[in-house]
């Protein structure tokens, strides 16, 4: 049985914290690590492919290799904290992860295992675990598109749809680290079943997988790429079914963004992830539909913008989450 960790302390702005952070970013395709400095620069970046068809310990061995490589750096003794960003679901209160795209890890105690690897190399560091949506949110608020906004929703629209919240300039992960998980807000009362067990969730309409599935079901014929990227390319070329698929996704996202903004008064929504790389093909319908959903006076100025940090958001976000959620070093 895993003993729950202590509740999160009150968060604060990442930029207010000094000292070097060990950042670990765990995803379905790669495991990366770096030292993140107080100004957001990264050094000693390293990465390994996430093992496929491996058991839990073999996946952890790749994480351990990343930690070991970082420990060879002369910067290692200067580290004061560690941030772990991981694909989810996560339970940050228990330090466990069950990533959809890492089948070997179910309620895997990644935080304790990383802490043990750090300690074995002479670094007994306070550590924070954050889901990838929360980590991205911390990164974008610190150095990206949400910088300067006291209240923000940040989203990852990719194979799934995740997110996180900044409220009053503080990262708001919630008790288990899943606050802001906008992908499982229901926006279609009679919608199709979602993998989470609900109906009509944003993820079941606006994820890359859902966009491609719906387009194919409506008769779209891909030229060569049957993914959401292929649907985006067809939409840019004027294909009506592809355009409708992105309009449908944009409407679902707009409804969820407006609902979130109305609930907690965010003034910006930052969207990253693979589907967001389609640019105006996605953002134009979101902004068009947002006019119909964000109607109250206090959300009418709500902005929707692309994320700024791209592939760096995972490592920067792991560090930012740690600096915002751990006691001051």
């Amino acid at each position: 049985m895993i003993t729950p960790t202590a509740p999160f302390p009150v968060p604060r702005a990442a930029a207010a914290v000094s000292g070097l952070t060990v950042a670990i970013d765990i995803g379905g395709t790669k495991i990366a690590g770096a030292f993140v400095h107080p100004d957001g620069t990264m050094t000693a970046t390293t990465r390994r492919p996430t093992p496929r068809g491996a058991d839990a310990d073999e996946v952890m061995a790749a994480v351990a290799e990343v930690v070991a490589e970082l420990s060879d750096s002369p910067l290692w003794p200067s580290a004061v904290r560690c941030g772990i960003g991981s694909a989810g679901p996560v339970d940050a209160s228990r330090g466990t992860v069950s990533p959809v795209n890492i089948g070997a890890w179910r309620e895997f105690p990644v935080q304790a295992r990383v802490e043990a690897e750090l300690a074995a190399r002479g670094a007994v560091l306070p550590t924070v675990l954050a889901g990838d949506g929360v980590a991205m949110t911390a990164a974008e608020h610190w150095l990206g598109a949400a910088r300067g906004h006291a209240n923000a929703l940040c989203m990852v629209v990719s194979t799934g749809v995740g997110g996180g919240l900044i409220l009053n300039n503080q990262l708001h992960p919630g008790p288990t680290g899943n606050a802001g998980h906008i992908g499982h807000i229901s926006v279609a009362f009679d919608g199709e079943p979602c993998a989470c067990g609900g109906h009509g969730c944003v993820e079941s309409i606006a994820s890359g997988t859902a966009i491609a599935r719906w387009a194919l079901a409506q008769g779209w014929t891909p030229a060569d790429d049957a993914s959401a990227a292929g649907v985006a390319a067809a939409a840019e070329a004027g294909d009506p079914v592809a355009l409708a698929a992105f309009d449908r996704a944009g409407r679902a996202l707009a409804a969820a963004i407006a609902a979130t903004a109305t609930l907690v008064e965010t003034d910006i929504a930052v969207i990253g992830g693979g589907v967001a790389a389609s640019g105006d093909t996605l953002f134009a319908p979101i902004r068009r539909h947002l006019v119909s959903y964000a109607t109250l006076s206090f959300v009418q100025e709500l902005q929707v913008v692309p994320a700024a940090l791209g592939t760096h958001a995972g490592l920067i976000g792991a560090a930012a989450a740690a600096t915002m959620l751990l006691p001051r070093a």
Side-chain angles (χ1 to χ4, degrees):
M1 179 176 178
I2 298 169
T3 302
T5 58
F8 284 126
V10 176
R12 65 188 178 279
V17 182
S18 61
L20 197 64
T21 304
V22 175
I24 308 292
D25 179 26
I26 301 169
T29 59
K30 60 96 174 60
I31 297 164
F35 295 109
V36 180
H37 297 256
D39 63 356
T41 57
M42 294 191 301
T43 52
T45 304
T46 182
R47 62 186 291 163
R48 298 285 189 282
T50 304
R52 299 285 188 181
D55 65 23
D57 285 334
E58 288 171 325
V59 177
M60 184 62 213
V63 179
E65 289 176 6
V66 167
V67 173
E69 187 166 335
L70 291 175
S71 73
D72 289 336
S73 167
L75 293 171
W76 184 251
S78 301
V80 297
R81 68 185 71 82
C82 176
I84 308 163
S86 176
V90 306
D91 186 341
S93 68
R94 302 174 71 230
T96 62
V97 296
S98 303
V100 171
N101 49 12
I102 305 178
W105 279 6
R106 289 296 171 265
E107 297 187 11
F108 185 78
V110 66
Q111 184 170 348
R113 293 289 295 270
V114 169
E115 288 173 344
E117 293 294 333
L118 295 169
R121 291 164 177 80
V124 179
L125 301 179
T127 302
V128 157
L129 169 65
D132 51 8
V134 170
M136 176 264 195
T137 299
E140 290 292 334
H141 183 251
W142 182 19
L143 297 172
R147 188 172 186 175
H149 290 266
N151 301 287
L153 165 68
C154 297
M155 306 171 60
V156 179
V157 183
S158 187
T159 306
V161 178
L165 289 167
I166 296 289
L167 301 177
N168 296 324
N169 278 317
Q170 297 177 347
L171 186 63
H172 182 74
T176 66
N178 290 287
H181 200 341
I182 193 170
H184 295 289
I185 289 178
S186 178
V187 292
F189 183 74
D190 293 320
E192 64 183 85
C194 178
C196 74
H199 289 267
C201 293
V202 174
E203 185 172 296
S204 70
I205 299 171
S207 70
T209 305
I211 289 169
R213 182 177 65 245
W214 187 86
L216 289 165
Q218 299 304 307
W220 172 65
T221 303
D224 51 12
D225 183 357
S227 72
V231 181
E236 290 167 12
D239 183 284
V241 174
L243 284 166
F246 270 88
D247 184 75
R248 180 173 179 264
R251 184 178 181 184
L253 289 165
I257 290 167
T260 303
T262 302
L263 184 66
V264 295
E265 289 200 62
T266 54
D267 58 13
I268 190 169
V270 177
I271 305 179
V275 177
S278 60
D280 280 347
T281 301
L282 177 69
F283 284 90
I286 292 174
R287 291 169 180 146
R288 183 171 62 250
H289 286 295
L290 194 62
V291 175
S292 300
Y293 289 105
T295 57
L296 294 170
S297 60
F298 60 91
V299 291
Q300 287 179 354
E301 301 301 318
L302 178 61
Q303 301 176 54
V304 178
V305 301
L309 298 178
T311 57
H312 298 299
L315 286 168
I316 292 174
T323 58
M324 295 175 86
L325 296 171
L326 286 169
R328 197 175 296 271

